[in-house]
Amino acid sequence: MERTGRMETITYDCIREAAARLKGAAHRTPVMTSRTLNKQSGREIYLKCEQFQRGGAFKFRGAYNTISRMTEEEKQRGVLAYSSGNHAQGVALAARLSGVPAVICIPTDAPPVKLAATRETYGAEVLTFDRLTTDREAFGRQVAEERGLTIVPPFDHPHIIAGAGTVALELLEEVPDLDAVITPIGGGGLLSGTSIAAHGWNPKIRVFGAEPKLAADTYRSLQEGKRVSIDPPSTVADGLRATTPGVLTFPILQSHVENVVLVTEEEIEDAIRFALLRLKTVIEPSAAVALAAVRKGALPRDCRKVGVILSGGNIDPSLLAQLWEREATKI
Amino acid sequence: MERTGRMETITYDCIREAAARLKGAAHRTPVMTSRTLNKQSGREIYLKCEQFQRGGAFKFRGAYNTISRMTEEEKQRGVLAYSSGNHAQGVALAARLSGVPAVICIPTDAPPVKLAATRETYGAEVLTFDRLTTDREAFGRQVAEERGLTIVPPFDHPHIIAGAGTVALELLEEVPDLDAVITPIGGGGLLSGTSIAAHGWNPKIRVFGAEPKLAADTYRSLQEGKRVSIDPPSTVADGLRATTPGVLTFPILQSHVENVVLVTEEEIEDAIRFALLRLKTVIEPSAAVALAAVRKGALPRDCRKVGVILSGGNIDPSLLAQLWEREATKI
């Protein structure tokens, strides 16, 4: 009776309901195509551009969906997130738009730009903690308990997954006959939502994930048939440094995902350069992982029309500069 | 009887005809908006994104329009352009798509990337010349004469101007009630076409140009009421280094343009950074000149809805890297 234990099953309807809740709040982001990319890959590639989403990444969708489902009392007390990345910005922005106070826990040594953006641009209260001496989850839970805040988790939550699934739903509304769809994998929230959306739309759509070779926790977990933990990975794709798939997301990935493509750090950097020089758009390393997987020709040949979810565009400016210095002319 | 001397008057109909010729060949580029930009500027800003045009800049439009109007005999003989920039790529690409041979004259010391792109990506024949000992126009004219090629000039030609005007026409079809429109000024082809399109659409639309302070030939010419020549300018906006407005374009600008906004090199670089970090898109310095003009609040207060033509996205990768190094966190 394994299924009985689950609090909630995430269905196609959950994603459609999330889409309705996001209407007017989230951007309906554009789908980009490129003749160069189609020619190089020998396929029709449709890039769903979440770098143009509010907050610069798809994370806003799940955060807003989750907050919209809180009770009035919960909303008055506020939300808490622990992250220095896109999830923190997504929660802070979604909370501000919903009139909900937000507390974001950020390590003391996070880039000052991110700290300032979370505080000033998105108006959240920022609590810093020493990453070396403090466990961020324990720290966050303690603050949330003391102040009665609702924790908005980064991926392993039904409303977060449903919100993330709206990206694929929009893509399919625009390109209804995709053969396949691919997304990057961090904790698996985006790919879980994408899987449910895609197979709700058409069970024949083939679903793929992309991971850095240096952060192959989901790849290994799917191979071994159980959640495997890896050491904290050093990949440039800072959004994909989760060390193990989620409790909720993993079984979803197990039943929907055909394969996980692994890409090297060099392939990730090349994909960022390709996006800048050819597509004229800025994508972050995590988003580049999915683009790199398609560029290296890793999908089965009969996937002719492929949707790629570019998850965000919040790249560290100094990384952008380094990428060019290293090999300015190579694409 | 000054008007009698003009070969051809460029009308709104010329632009609509160019738009019909470009259909299916040129991209209908997206119009981008940004809450941050609207908030900072206190206006509604509509960015027409020619960085996503074929060849990475609006130049393809004029080149394709011009080639499409050549006779079959002229097409068989081919075309010639002298440029190392967007115009060369626009002509090479338009020629290839039209099945017309193209010769591009490029200085020997042009960046190897540009040379290779023109030759390999766009399939043109590249002739190099020593920029220090050879006048490029004379060199180009001689080759064209010897081989019976039609020269496609960069801006001072009715079909080039009409092609450039289709950008504003598309923008107005999407945002019909603009109060004002602004474009960068090199030789004045884009702004001439934009002027005629805007005033053909609605004579009340206010038309502005933007120039680097270091390349203020059109600004000065409009002030003095005659075409003024400046020394070769050193602005980072390599597409706007013309030393004087065109013979054809200048009178058009005189009768349509309300004002030219001058921007500093720092303002241009800041606008590129803003586009990368906030808009997640790559624009070249020439395009950034128009964005910089709007960001510095130089337009009259009652211009509420403003169209900005981002002319292209072909930025030199090493320049992109330098911009970050110089001041990575400032936007």
Side-chain angles (χ1 to χ4, degrees), chain A residues 78-98:
Chain A
V79 292
L80 177 140
Y82 33 85
S83 158
S84 57
N86 289 333
H87 177 61
Q89 296 191 16
V91 170
L93 179 59
R96 202 195 66 199
L97 293 176
S98 311

Side-chain angles (χ1 to χ4, degrees), chain B residues 273-312:
Chain B
R273 273 192 287 262
F274 178 84
L276 280 167
L277 274 187
R278 296 302 178 99
L279 310 177
K280 312 296 181 194
T281 188
V282 179
I283 57 175
E284 59 189 54
S286 305
V289 168
L291 179 59
V294 170
R295 290 189 77 223
K296 73 190 278 187
L299 298 190
R301 287 208 67 76
D302 53 341
C303 295
R304 308 301 309 162
K305 292 184 89 164
V306 179
V308 178
I309 295 179
L310 299 179
S311 48

Side-chain angles (χ1 to χ4, degrees), chain A residues 61-100:
Chain A
R61 296 175 185 257
Y64 189 89
N65 187 47
T66 303
I67 290 173
S68 80
R69 288 167 160 280
M70 286 163 49
T71 65
E72 278 313 307
E73 205 202 317
E74 286 170 338
K75 284 184 185 173
Q76 273 181 18
R77 286 202 300 264
V79 292
L80 177 140
Y82 33 85
S83 158
S84 57
N86 289 333
H87 177 61
Q89 296 191 16
V91 170
L93 179 59
R96 202 195 66 199
L97 293 176
S98 311
V100 170

Side-chain angles (χ1 to χ4, degrees), chain B residues 47-69:
Chain B
L47 304 168
K48 176 68 171 168
C49 293
E50 286 290 292
Q51 68 271 36
F52 300 126
Q53 187 50 265
R54 299 187 78 169
F58 78 98
K59 289 283 188 178
F60 172 75
R61 296 175 185 258
Y64 190 88
N65 186 46
T66 303
I67 291 172
S68 79
R69 288 166 160 281

